[in-house]
Amino acid sequence: MSVKKIEADVIILGGGSAGTFAAIKAKETNPNCRVVVVDKGPIETSGAIGRGMDALNIVSVPGYGTPEDVVEALTKVTEGIIDQECAYVLGRDSLPIIKDLERYTDRKPGDLFPLDKNGNYKCSFLHPTNKALYLAMDGEDIKRGLAREVRKLGCTVLDRTPACRLLTDDNGKIAGIFAFNMRSGDYYQIEAPAVVITAGCVGKFGMPRDGYLSGIYEFPGNTGDGFAMAYHAGAEMVNMECFQTNLLMKDFNGPACGYVVIPRGGYGVNALGKKYWSHGYWSGDMFLAVWREFMEGRGPVYLKLDHLPEETLKGLEKVLWGTERTVRGQFHKQRNEDYHCWDSVEQGMEEITLCSGHSNSGILVNKDTETTVPGLFAAGDCAAVPQQYLTGAFVFGAIAGRMAAEYAARAGRPGAMPNPEQTWQEVSAPLRIDDDKGLPVEQVETKIRTKVSQYLTPPKSDPLMNKMLWWVDR
Ligand SMILES: Cc1cc2nc3c(=O)[nH]c(=O)nc-3n(C[C@H](O)[C@H](O)[C@H](O)COP(=O)(O)OP(=O)(O)OC[C@H]3O[C@@H](n4cnc5c(N)ncnc54)[C@H](O)[C@@H]3O)c2cc1C
């Protein structure tokens, strides 16, 4: 086993939405900063926005909302379980990142984001407040634009190179990462005083009802490595008891997209065709309402679109079958489903996940993206800034990049590093378990995720959790 060594100043662990922004801002802060980005895929197409995206789910822009309005909306949907300082920063910095996005994707005002007649970015209503805080986006190419900027600024990009361990030095400070390349099999020990962890959510936590391991709402490459690595390095985690329960399009397991459809005039109905819920923003009370419809005999539930004008339906098809999930059009076609029928989009509660973007859980961070481990910064779906969505990934990715570059410039080189041979022995240990002593490695994912769904899907209870822990130990 040979290990390639690389010396860097800042490592970006995960080149998705938050990671690409972090890399760009680290370089813009200090062009001499040696930035290394590692990702499981090619950064042009990896992560939740690999095929682009169609909205910033929460922003504050002039003429529509203030940072205080963002704080109010997020406090409401999280039932107060939120660090309001972070929510304020999310609102405060949303306008600068909108401008950055236009610049990085080479798009003019009014092209990437719609403008109103006063020349302001035109927001719509989505949240359970009387403020319009949702900004649609024609963003098919945003990930490619961000990746282009990362490479143009001279970051070293290691595509298809998953990190499997955060390294700390003998003082408990961040010292780098251990990674391997999927194609060549090469191992890397990358040393740096600052790491920005942006490895996304735990998309593969529970199991979808159809049993497809990768047929999930989230990007299938986001398997929770960020959560696990940060925990292993000693970072404090928060809100881990809060699972995101996905209300998805049944059998398709992709997004049904209430948050796309509702700002355009669609709404959720029960089996009687009655509207049962008003706002499309993911929240505990929304999922409770869905659960009640089923429990009280009014399920299944649907997303109603048939009343919308033809032009709106065409626009929705472009978004839902494009940036949201490219196979959705084909799925409907094969089932002879058509948005002119009121019950064409059946929804179901599917797999549970852990995620801050759509929910609450993750690595504890402050408004400056600092974690409890010196030198470790976190942003995006793995950092617990509740309900921050794509806006938060960009806003806090940008802050993390700046913070990490400044930290690296004053921190000096890491102290004594772990022995790479020993790290390799540890990370590859599960591959060497004999079948008669434990689960064969190819069964681990199916078994654990099945148990997670069986025992941890709400409604939750202590006995269910204890039974789950019993299974985990076993
Ligand atoms: C289907 C869908 C629709 C959405 N729609 C909207 C919307 O309309 N509006 C909105 O505001 N938000 C939306 N969101 C949420 C938003 O896209 C996410 O919150 C945001 O993209 C998260 O950014 P991130 O950087 O944390 O994760 P990602 O962009 O997913 O990036 C994580 C990256 O980490 C990499 N990675 C993972 N593990 C490792 C590892 N071990 N080593 C190296 N790299 C690793 C992955 O390959 C990936 O590139 C949507 C999300 C989904 C899934």
Side-chain angles (χ1 to χ4, degrees):
M1 194 263 320
S2 77
V3 177
K4 297 188 171 180
K5 289 199 177 169
I6 298 178
E7 210 180 90
D9 298 311
V10 171
I11 298 167
I12 311 292
L13 198 171
S17 317
T20 47
F21 245 81
I24 293 167
K25 292 298 174 188
K27 270 289 188 191
E28 285 180 356
T29 303
N30 176 5
N32 295 323
C33 182
R34 293 167 299 171
V35 178
V36 174
V37 182
V38 297
D39 198 282
K40 281 185 177 171
I43 61 165
E44 279 68 18
T45 51
S46 66
I49 62 164
R51 297 301 298 233
M53 197 44 77
D54 42 83
L56 294 177
N57 279 357
I58 185 148
V59 294
S60 83
V61 296
Y64 290 91
T66 62
E68 286 81 0
D69 294 326
V70 167
V71 175
E72 188 195 339
L74 291 182
T75 304
K76 211 163 191 173
V77 291
T78 57
E79 296 167 45
I81 305 171
I82 189 168
D83 178 348
Q84 290 185 321
E85 223 175 6
C86 292
Y88 182 84
V89 171
L90 175 61
R92 184 197 69 193
D93 287 5
S94 46
L95 187 60
I97 63 106
I98 288 168
K99 304 270 186 208
D100 280 341
L101 278 169
E102 287 175 336
R103 194 154 52 91
Y104 300 146
T105 54
D106 235 348
R107 307 275 290 272
K108 299 207 168 22
D111 182 15
L112 184 58
F113 300 104
L115 299 179
D116 66 15
K117 58 182 181 342
N118 300 318
N120 289 323
Y121 293 103
K122 187 179 173 197
C123 291
S124 320
F125 291 92
L126 174 66
H127 308 84
T129 61
N130 61 355
K131 289 287 159 54
L133 304 171
Y134 168 93
L135 182 60
M137 164 168 74
D138 188 6
E140 212 173 313
D141 59 344
I142 51 169
K143 189 71 198 302
R144 285 185 179 76
L146 291 169
R148 193 170 53 233
E149 194 68 16
V150 169
R151 294 190 196 272
K152 195 176 88 189
L153 289 171
C155 300
T156 302
V157 181
L158 299 177
D159 290 323
R160 299 193 177 86
T161 307
C164 39
R165 189 55 67 92
L166 279 170
L167 303 174
T168 45
D169 68 11
D170 48 348
N171 294 316
K173 293 183 180 171
I174 278 297
I177 63 167
F178 194 78
F180 67 97
N181 185 281
M182 289 186 212
R183 293 282 161 90
S184 66
D186 290 334
Y187 287 89
Y188 289 90
Q189 178 161 298
I190 310 174
E191 299 178 10
V195 174
V196 178
I197 192 157
T198 42
C201 61
V202 192
K204 288 182 164 177
F205 186 52
M207 188 77 113
R209 283 186 292 184
D210 61 18
Y212 290 122
L213 290 177
S214 290
I216 55 170
Y217 173 76
E218 299 288 356
F219 171 62
N222 291 343
T223 49
D225 317 13
F227 284 57
M229 282 187 272
Y231 178 71
H232 186 263
E236 199 172 319
M237 316 292 290
V238 280
N239 301 339
M240 294 296 284
E241 70 285 8
C242 181
F243 308 139
Q244 167 189 328
T245 311
N246 290 327
L247 179 62
L248 302 181
M249 201 164 88
K250 188 174 162 294
D251 298 337
F252 175 65
N253 281 33
C257 290
Y259 50 86
V260 177
V261 168
I262 289 172
R264 291 162 173 88
Y267 53 88
V269 293
N270 60 24
L272 310 173
K274 292 247 163 55
K275 187 173 183 172
Y276 69 94
W277 195 242
S278 54
H279 73 82
Y281 212 63
W282 294 33
S283 55
D285 54 355
M286 179 171 110
F287 295 124
L288 189 59
V290 174
W291 187 73
R292 281 210 181 100
E293 292 305 309
F294 279 92
M295 289 303 123
E296 293 169 11
R298 294 183 298 274
V301 296
Y302 303 90
L303 209 47
K304 187 171 168 349
L305 309 175
D306 61 316
H307 58 289
L308 297 174
E310 204 55 38
E311 197 190 337
T312 309
L313 287 181
K314 283 274 164 271
L316 278 172
E317 283 177 7
K318 180 169 180 254
V319 171
L320 300 179
W321 305 358
T323 46
E324 285 289 341
R325 191 112 341 151
T326 44
V327 290
R328 180 163 171 170
Q330 199 185 352
F331 177 87
H332 285 310
K333 199 168 154 207
Q334 286 178 350
R335 292 197 162 193
N336 286 327
E337 286 168 352
D338 182 328
Y339 294 160
H340 295 92
C341 292
W342 73 276
D343 59 354
S344 56
V345 183
E346 184 181 340
Q347 296 177 283
M349 297 285 235
E350 285 292 340
E351 76 274 7
I352 55 170
T353 56
L354 289 165
C355 177
S356 70
H358 299 87
S359 180
N360 284 36
S361 52
I363 305 161
L364 177 66
V365 284
N366 61 17
K367 67 176 182 11
D368 296 322
T369 71
E370 291 164 316
T371 70
T372 52
V373 178
L376 181 64
F377 303 84
D381 282 355
C382 67
V385 178
Q387 306 259 4
Q388 57 177 314
Y389 292 91
L390 189 51
T391 322
F394 291 148
V395 163
F396 292 102
I399 293 173
R402 269 185 236 119
M403 290 290 296
E406 285 166 11
Y407 177 90
R410 61 175 190 271
R413 297 310 301 168
M417 300 286 291
N419 176 333
E421 172 71 27
Q422 192 191 330
T423 308
W424 179 79
Q425 288 291 346
E426 283 173 19
V427 297
S428 58
L431 300 173
R432 292 190 298 273
I433 292 178
D434 293 340
D435 286 1
D436 57 346
K437 293 210 187 101
L439 279 182
V441 75
E442 61 276 10
Q443 288 183 22
V444 170
E445 180 181 352
T446 312
K447 298 241 176 185
I448 292 182
R449 288 178 62 191
T450 304
K451 289 283 173 280
V452 164
S453 281
Q454 289 168 345
Y455 289 108
L456 300 187
T457 300
K460 298 181 275 189
S461 75
D462 281 356
L464 285 166
M465 173 58 94
N466 289 335
K467 189 75 198 214
M468 177 67 204
L469 294 175
W470 178 83
W471 273 108
V472 170
D473 278 347
R474 198 162 177 261

